[in-house]
Amino acid sequence: MKSGLGKEPLRRFRRHEHLALGGEAQDRVYRLDEGWACRYTLLPDGRRQITALYLPGDVCEPQWVISSKAELSIVALTDVIATEIPLGSIRNASDEGVSELIDALMTNFNRQSDWIVSLGRRSANGRITALFAEIYSRLQQNGRVRQPCTIPLTQQDIADVVGLTPVHVNRVVSELRRQGLVQFSGKTIIVPRPDEIDRQQDGMGLAG
Amino acid sequence: MKSGLGKEPLRRFRRHEHLALGGEAQDRVYRLDEGWACRYTLLPDGRRQITALYLPGDVCEPQWVISSKAELSIVALTDVIATEIPLGSIRNASDEGVSELIDALMTNFNRQSDWIVSLGRRSANGRITALFAEIYSRLQQNGRVRQPCTIPLTQQDIADVVGLTPVHVNRVVSELRRQGLVQFSGKTIIVPRPDEIDRQQDGMGLAG
DNA sequence: CGGTTTGTTGAGGGCCATCAAGTTGAGTGG
DNA sequence: CCACTCAACTTGATGGCCCTCAACAAACCG
């Protein structure tokens, strides 16, 4: 384990390492400097549903400022470098730190509402293209867009976000590649023209 | 419950009347004294996805305290009687009013995460029984359970919550009735033994 | 009492899950 | 440098859940 002596607030997590466990008290939040993480729920039969994605530049999780408790577990989807922000350091400090986190909390809240719409009413194709478009948009807002937009998620990870099986995710993503809407670099997915992906998601029919 | 009777204005909404429109500024929240409401999104083709249910006793919507703006529209699902709570009256008042709303906000946040799990990983049967169990549990917490628990939603409303078609909701609900898990009084659904419904939802397979 | 909303039921089909084999590639140790 | 291992990706066959279309019944309402 890394024990940053001195005042170094950086924390490293390996892929599959937990940033928080469901039920745990939290006295800090993390700002992801590099790497991706997610909040998830496990079902009794072992299947997983991811309920929030955390991208480079995101704060994880803003609501800990209010509740000081992790309702669900958070796990690293890639190797992660994060800045630890103790809650005590911002509760009494300027309002700016808090209001930035409150803004992030509301953004996450609204994003969850949007995702309910996708899961409830969009087909596999619509959910996956909507996810890619959302990822690009968020990376752009965080100032983390490289040329072009790369997505370091496994197809299993994607399946657990969009509520599908990895097999079907593979078929949909393969079709997107055939159409030139995404490319592959090894196993990582690249979205060359995010605006075209974005146009894809409108008019996608009912799932099922 | 709030005991300061009399001075706060009561508002009435008819079924299908809007409590708020998406994008509108909000300078108040509502406490539903009677009736049900929901937050929803319309898709370009006219389909609807409900992203939050508001039951008697609920506050609608707590996040307006923070953002003073309705992101999405709110509509009455039944006739509604609501108490109007001006935001100005609680921002400067005791912290209790605010913290009660913040609690409600976090509850809604966590409920949305749970609902993402249902939509992503549960079958039609699991989603509907989970909805009924959630409704009973929330009514109980609000002190609004009559004997027995009645649900004044149309099957179309239920479909728009659980992300299915009304036709299929009808089939699932009819099967639940055949099993004695729900009863009908005219068109309103009654859940006689909510604990049994609750047991139903575990182990429901993948949707699709 | 005519129109509208809501519920009900059947037939057929499509989307996606499931099952089952592979193939590929990265990491490891000999 | 090459077996070995394991995770991740790929592909085909089959089937079930749920959508779609359609028609009708029942309840509600002005």
Side-chain angles (χ1 to χ4, degrees), chain A residues 9 45 89 96 100 105 112 123 126 143-144 160 179 199 204:
Chain A
D45 60 6
S89 73
E96 284 183 26
E100 179 191 344
L105 169 59
Q112 283 193 150
S123 66
R144 306 295 181 119
D160 290 342
Q179 297 174 12
R199 228 174 297 130
M204 300 305 325

Side-chain angles (χ1 to χ4, degrees), chain A:
Chain A
M1 285 317 239
K2 165 149 193 176
S3 67
L5 277 182
K7 313 230 166 150
E8 183 62 330
L10 277 191
R11 289 275 314 255
R12 281 161 198 279
F13 299 93
R14 299 238 185 89
R15 190 158 92 108
H16 296 159
E17 194 178 346
H18 278 82
L19 283 74
L21 291 175
E24 256 182 5
Q26 299 296 326
D27 58 355
R28 85 216 105 195
V29 297
Y30 300 102
R31 183 182 301 277
L32 301 189
D33 298 314
E34 290 179 33
W36 297 36
C38 73
R39 164 157 44 86
Y40 70 94
T41 294
L42 284 180
L43 283 87
D45 60 6
R47 286 176 300 149
R48 180 176 69 159
Q49 177 65 44
I50 292 177
T51 54
L53 264 185
Y54 290 104
L55 276 46
D58 284 343
V59 171
C60 166
E61 302 203 280
Q63 65 265 33
W64 293 344
V65 173
I66 291 177
S67 67
S68 296
K69 180 188 165 193
E71 285 294 326
L72 301 175
S73 298
I74 312 289
V75 72
L77 294 172
T78 68
D79 289 348
V80 161
I81 301 178
T83 304
E84 204 171 73
I85 306 176
L87 292 183
S89 73
I90 53 173
R91 262 204 255 274
N92 301 330
S94 67
D95 287 342
E96 284 183 26
V98 174
S99 76
E100 179 191 344
L101 286 171
I102 296 295
D103 279 359
L105 169 59
M106 288 311 301
T107 299
N108 291 352
F109 187 98
N110 293 325
R111 193 176 289 132
Q112 283 193 150
S113 300
D114 289 345
W115 203 240
I116 286 174
V117 176
S118 272
L119 291 178
R121 295 303 188 191
R122 288 177 127 93
S123 66
N125 204 303
R127 292 184 211 175
I128 291 173
T129 54
L131 174 64
F132 290 171
E134 176 190 317
I135 286 172
Y136 173 75
S137 168
R138 289 172 58 183
L139 286 176
Q140 196 175 38
Q141 286 180 21
N142 291 1
R144 306 295 181 119
V145 186
R146 299 187 185 83
Q147 303 292 340
C149 171
T150 64
I151 298 176
L153 302 176
T154 68
Q155 294 180 6
Q156 175 73 67
D157 293 335
I158 295 173
D160 290 342
V161 174
V162 298
L164 298 166
T165 58
V167 172
H168 196 62
V169 166
N170 180 273
R171 289 192 231 269
V172 171
V173 169
S174 297
E175 176 59 25
L176 291 178
R177 177 175 51 177
R178 222 163 282 126
Q179 297 174 12
L181 290 171
V182 305
Q183 297 169 2
F184 280 54
S185 170
K187 291 182 176 178
T188 61
I189 295 173
I190 298 178
V191 183
R193 272 158 286 120
D195 47 325
E196 292 198 11
I197 278 279
D198 205 14
R199 228 174 297 130
Q200 265 292 99
Q201 47 178 319
D202 294 328
M204 300 305 325
L206 254 190

